[in-house]
Amino acid sequence: MAISDTRGDGWDLSAPAMRLYEACALRDGDLVGQITAANPQAQRELLDWGLITLEDLPGGVPGVRDPQHALQRRTDEVLAAAEEQVALLKNLPSLSTRLMRHYEAVQLRAGASSVYLDDQAAVNARLQDVVGGARREILAAQPGGPRDRAILDKAVARDVVALDRGVELRTIYRDTVRDHPVTAEYARKMANRGAGRSAQYRTLAGAFERMIIVDREQAFVSDHIVAGGPAHAAWLITDPAAISVMARMFEAAWMGGRPWSGELRARRGGDARDTIGSSSVRGARTTRQQREILRNLCTGVSQKSIAGRIGVSERKMEKEIAALKALWGATTLNELIYQWALSPDHRVDDSAPAEGPAGARVEGEESAA
């Protein structure tokens, strides 16, 4: 039997315990006292192994037991514990099957098309990976209302990278963001980037579901299934049929939303500190020439005639129309005219002198300095 230098590890005796056993066997009371005083755990080891007894202490020395019997008892104990471990190992496959049955009942998986994420860190990490890998399009419906600056600062870095890759980014917010300077500042920055693709935003006054759809291949939605689940729990969905329905829901909400480029809602008394860039028009994103094109389209004038009126080629007119469609995310002329009618741009007064800023005032409103 090997002897450890300092302590027992459950499979062996420490050196102090071995010396104490030898002292007990020799009935050397002085040595027993010295070892016990210096190493109190040594006696505990011998008692655990069944090598000594404290029932009779002639001369204050513990009695020793036959080591063969003690070790046989120890062997029986170890074998019993090993049999329990073997039984556990044999039962693990069955236990795994039973647990997975309950887990999958909660997951409601269909070909691994939905994954339940109840850990906030896991939700955020998975969301960052999926959104960060977007190739074509990100559709986000955010009904939570105004966002705090910390969240928006992170979003700027992420969204700029996506837009620079050519990803189309459209977001629906609750109408309340129009009263929130921090969210408005973020929207202005992302919707008016100048060079490169800009993000598009719309707002809704009514209720709508939270969702983020990436490339119409993966989507995140809030959890409405697991009873008692945490508020931040979400589902990652990859089922094409489900995502197709969600995308149609988003498009319907998008069509019903009001275009928004970060302009704050006008306050009573003319308090409107929400100008965009150097323009003094709240929310205007179009140039004087673009607005002239749109006004002509609204009255039914053909693109060829409009080109003649403003003195540009038909090819240039086609490019202007395409740029206007992209600005509002419209796919048809009818949709473009509809979005123009909803936007602040259609109220811009372009009767100001040409050398002055287009839309120096808005009909019925005071100029925002």
Side-chain angles (χ1 to χ4, degrees), residues 178 200-203 254-263 276 281-287 290-291 294-295 298 324 327-330 334-350 362-363 365:
R178 291 175 177 267
Q200 301 175 55
Y201 302 96
R202 294 190 181 182
T203 63
W254 182 261
M255 289 297 295
R258 290 197 299 150
W260 187 54
S261 298
E263 62 275 9
I276 298 177
V281 180
R282 288 187 290 275
R285 296 187 291 170
T286 51
T287 65
Q290 287 176 324
R291 289 190 291 275
L294 288 164
R295 292 188 185 100
C298 287
L324 288 167
L327 186 62
W328 276 290
N334 286 338
E335 184 184 357
L336 173 60
I337 293 170
Y338 172 76
Q339 296 303 334
W340 150 259
L342 292 176
S343 72
D345 299 62
H346 84 283
R347 295 179 289 120
V348 174
D349 180 8
D350 282 322
V362 178
E363 293 175 358
E365 298 179 354

Side-chain angles (χ1 to χ4, degrees), residues 13-267:
L13 285 175
S14 66
M18 180 59 74
R19 291 197 300 272
L20 180 60
Y21 183 82
E22 181 183 7
C24 290
L26 294 172
R27 315 301 299 168
D28 188 335
D30 292 338
L31 184 58
V32 166
Q34 293 173 11
I35 296 173
T36 302
N39 302 278
Q41 80 283 358
Q43 187 178 87
R44 183 72 265 167
E45 278 187 61
L46 296 178
L47 288 171
D48 290 344
W49 279 70
L51 287 167
I52 61 173
T53 177
L54 299 179
E55 293 179 359
D56 297 311
L57 299 174
V61 178
V64 294
R65 290 183 171 179
D66 185 340
Q68 290 187 348
H69 293 163
L71 294 179
Q72 184 59 52
R73 286 194 299 272
R74 187 69 168 180
T75 300
D76 293 342
E77 292 173 359
V78 172
L79 287 175
E83 289 175 357
E84 290 183 3
Q85 296 298 315
V86 170
L88 175 61
L89 289 173
K90 290 181 178 179
N91 188 53
L92 284 178
S94 173
L95 177 61
S96 175
T97 299
R98 297 197 305 274
L99 290 173
M100 283 302 298
R101 189 182 307 124
H102 295 299
Y103 179 72
E104 289 175 351
V106 175
Q107 294 293 305
L108 300 179
R109 295 186 183 181
S113 61
S114 299
V115 178
Y116 177 59
L117 304 169
D118 61 352
D119 179 74
Q120 189 166 17
V123 173
N124 292 337
R126 205 69 174 269
L127 183 61
Q128 290 292 335
D129 288 344
V130 172
V131 171
R135 304 183 307 278
R136 300 182 302 275
E137 178 186 63
I138 300 173
L139 308 176
Q142 302 285 6
R147 324 304 297 278
D148 64 52
R149 186 173 293 278
I151 292 175
L152 293 176
D153 285 345
K154 292 180 181 179
V156 167
R158 180 194 64 214
D159 294 348
V160 164
V161 171
L163 290 167
D164 287 344
R165 289 202 309 271
V167 175
E168 179 182 1
L169 176 58
R170 288 189 283 157
T171 302
I172 302 173
Y173 284 127
R174 288 190 63 185
D175 193 65
T176 53
V177 297
R178 291 175 177 267
D179 299 312
H180 191 249
V182 174
T183 310
E185 177 187 344
Y186 160 77
R188 285 197 294 271
K189 181 182 298 184
M190 302 306 298
N192 300 275
R193 295 183 64 220
R197 185 186 290 271
S198 293
Q200 301 175 55
Y201 302 96
R202 294 190 181 182
T203 63
L204 280 175
F208 56 96
E209 283 295 322
R210 182 189 307 276
M211 65 181 74
I212 299 176
I213 305 171
V214 178
D215 293 334
R216 309 208 179 202
E217 295 174 356
Q218 301 182 77
F220 290 85
V221 296
S222 299
D223 171 51
H224 298 291
I225 297 177
V226 180
H232 55 257
W235 290 83
L236 171 58
I237 299 173
T238 56
D239 180 76
I243 293 177
S244 177
V245 173
M246 293 168 59
R248 288 178 66 87
M249 292 172 57
F250 179 91
E251 295 293 358
W254 182 261
M255 289 297 295
R258 290 197 299 150
W260 187 54
S261 298
E263 62 275 9
L264 287 168
R265 202 190 318 264
R267 301 293 196 272

Side-chain angles (χ1 to χ4, degrees), residues 283-316:
R285 296 187 291 170
T286 51
T287 65
R288 181 188 298 271
Q289 186 179 81
Q290 287 176 324
R291 289 190 291 275
E292 185 174 356
I293 293 172
L294 288 164
R295 292 188 185 100
N296 278 279
L297 287 174
C298 287
T299 58
V301 180
S302 68
Q303 295 184 41
K304 181 178 180 179
S305 297
I306 298 172
R309 288 184 180 184
I310 65 175
V312 299
S313 67
E314 292 184 38
R315 183 174 181 80
K316 173 65 174 176

